[in-house]
Amino acid sequence: MTGHDRPDAGRVLLDGSLGEGGGHVLRSALSLSLITGRPFQLTGLREHREPAGLRPQHLAYVRGAEALCGGTSEGAVVGATELRFTPGPVRAGDYLLEAGASGSTPRLFQCLVYPLALAGGGRLTLRGGTHLPGGPSFHALVGAWLPVARAYGFPVQLSLTHAGFHPEGAGEFTAEVGAPVEPPVRVDLPARGVLREVRVMSFVGGLPFAVAERQSRAAVAALRERGILAEADNRPLAVTRSQGSATFVLAQFEHTVAAFTSLGERGLDAEGVGREAAEALTRFMETGGALDEHLAEQLLLPAALLASGRLGAVTPGTTRFTAARVTGELMVQAEVLRRFLPVHIQVEPGGSVEVRPA
């Protein structure tokens, strides 16, 4: 039974001040609205920010959600601080969507992938930024998010056409999204276990290849100082109008994975980019969490779908894990999920998280 079949699918009221900037609340609400069929009203969106209200990258999430379901929105204009969204039934199929130069295609993807999969699947071709500050990179999706999604029964394949860096964007990637397969009954990740392998991947797009080599050497050296051996792989990325660089560190533990991306930026030399990604891993390893803070937040939605019985399991399942750090984004995601789905989410200050049926 979808949310569109439910007579109790009432409008969800949300306050944009739940999360800093409101963008995270908006993405989560749109995804859950598509999944459950419940409309929502979001107020206080970025009302204390400068500039205030919705920005073009936020509108890309709304337009993407509308494209998947034929839904309608009120207030979806630049500068608006209030938005009402009413979904229609999500349609399986192929979609080409623009995130814009300042829009994150990985974030747009994470907003839409679960609703599309639950509707039967299809293809998402997304254009915009693929490696932008403040959000997951395309390679973080592949290295960290994808194994989690597949563990919950979501068969997804990702391919990068060309990279898009700040500020021009102009990247593109494609996601082949299948309908969910049999989900787990229980997911327990109390500890990450022993470190098995660390890979350093250094990328450049539109820049000299020597920049990638300098980044990876610095990352490998910084890890070696902490007693961590790593293999390095330097690669050029196809680009169109943008140029940039990135260092990606992927750690494979006994039970989990952790991924960290550092992007080239003005005032940060290639060695600094490499060290930044390596130091992010070493800081994570100083914690007791099974999952890094970003993956922990991203795990909540499929965990809530499992707990609410929306993955087709005979019995709704339970997820338990530990996070390296309890972030504001994790707490916001938990609260938005509670508003839409019949789930109980318990987050302890020390990082223990449990998602179970209400």
Side-chain angles (χ1 to χ4, degrees), residues 151-166:
Y152 277 89
F154 289 93
V156 179
Q157 295 183 347
L158 301 172
S159 59
L160 183 67
T161 306
H162 40 263
F165 295 94
H166 178 77

Side-chain angles (χ1 to χ4, degrees), residues 5 15 19 186 252 326 340:
D5 303 317
D15 185 345
R186 181 181 297 274
Q252 178 69 59
V326 176
F340 279 91

Side-chain angles (χ1 to χ4, degrees), residues 37-327:
R38 300 182 66 182
F40 69 87
Q41 180 177 351
L42 182 53
T43 59
L45 271 166
R46 294 175 47 90
E47 59 185 0
H48 301 301
R49 300 292 293 270
E50 183 59 43
L54 292 170
R55 309 313 305 154
Q57 63 267 30
H58 302 131
L59 297 183
Y61 307 135
V62 180
R63 302 309 178 208
E66 290 174 339
L68 260 64
C69 72
T72 59
S73 59
E74 301 172 44
V77 294
V78 171
T81 58
E82 181 172 340
L83 175 77
R84 293 168 68 95
F85 182 80
T86 302
V90 178
R91 299 179 296 265
D94 300 345
Y95 297 89
L96 170 61
L97 301 171
E98 299 278 352
S102 59
S104 166
T105 52
R107 280 182 163 167
L108 178 58
F109 166 77
Q110 289 182 323
C111 176
L112 303 178
V113 61
Y114 296 113
L116 182 60
L118 291 169
R123 179 188 298 114
L124 291 170
T125 301
L126 306 177
R127 293 175 176 170
T130 62
H131 296 73
L132 298 183
S137 67
F138 171 83
H139 289 93
L141 287 184
V142 174
W145 176 87
L146 195 57
V148 167
R150 288 176 174 169
Y152 277 89
F154 289 93
V156 179
Q157 295 183 347
L158 301 172
S159 59
L160 183 67
T161 306
H162 40 263
F165 295 94
H166 178 77
E168 293 87 357
E172 178 180 304
F173 79 87
T174 300
E176 299 288 346
V177 181
V181 296
E182 186 167 344
V185 175
R186 181 181 297 274
V187 176
D188 278 307
L189 298 169
R192 57 183 177 251
V194 298
L195 178 63
R196 288 182 168 172
E197 181 186 26
V198 177
R199 294 177 59 201
V200 173
M201 284 167 274
S202 185
F203 304 103
V204 288
L207 295 174
F209 192 70
V211 172
E213 297 171 330
R214 290 167 56 196
Q215 289 177 166
S216 65
R217 280 198 300 268
V220 169
L223 290 169
R224 189 182 302 118
E225 290 173 3
R226 300 298 183 94
I228 301 171
L229 299 180
E231 296 289 332
D233 186 10
N234 305 315
R235 302 180 189 178
L237 294 178
V239 293
T240 54
R241 299 193 305 275
S242 72
Q243 63 178 28
S245 69
T247 301
F248 178 66
V249 175
L250 181 66
Q252 178 69 59
F253 295 91
E254 185 179 358
H255 306 302
T256 64
V257 296
F260 305 92
T261 306
S262 177
L263 301 176
E265 58 182 285
R266 189 179 300 276
L268 183 63
D269 60 20
E271 287 73 19
V273 176
R275 283 194 301 271
E276 189 175 87
E279 289 167 359
L281 170 60
T282 59
R283 287 194 300 271
F284 168 68
M285 292 184 65
E286 291 168 357
T287 75
L291 301 178
D292 69 79
E293 61 193 61
H294 304 296
L295 192 57
E297 179 268 321
Q298 294 168 16
L299 181 66
L300 283 183
L301 202 157
L305 294 177
L306 178 65
S308 66
R310 288 188 173 269
L311 295 187
V314 175
T315 302
T318 296
T319 297
R320 296 186 182 94
F321 64 89
T322 58
R325 189 165 69 92
V326 176
T327 63

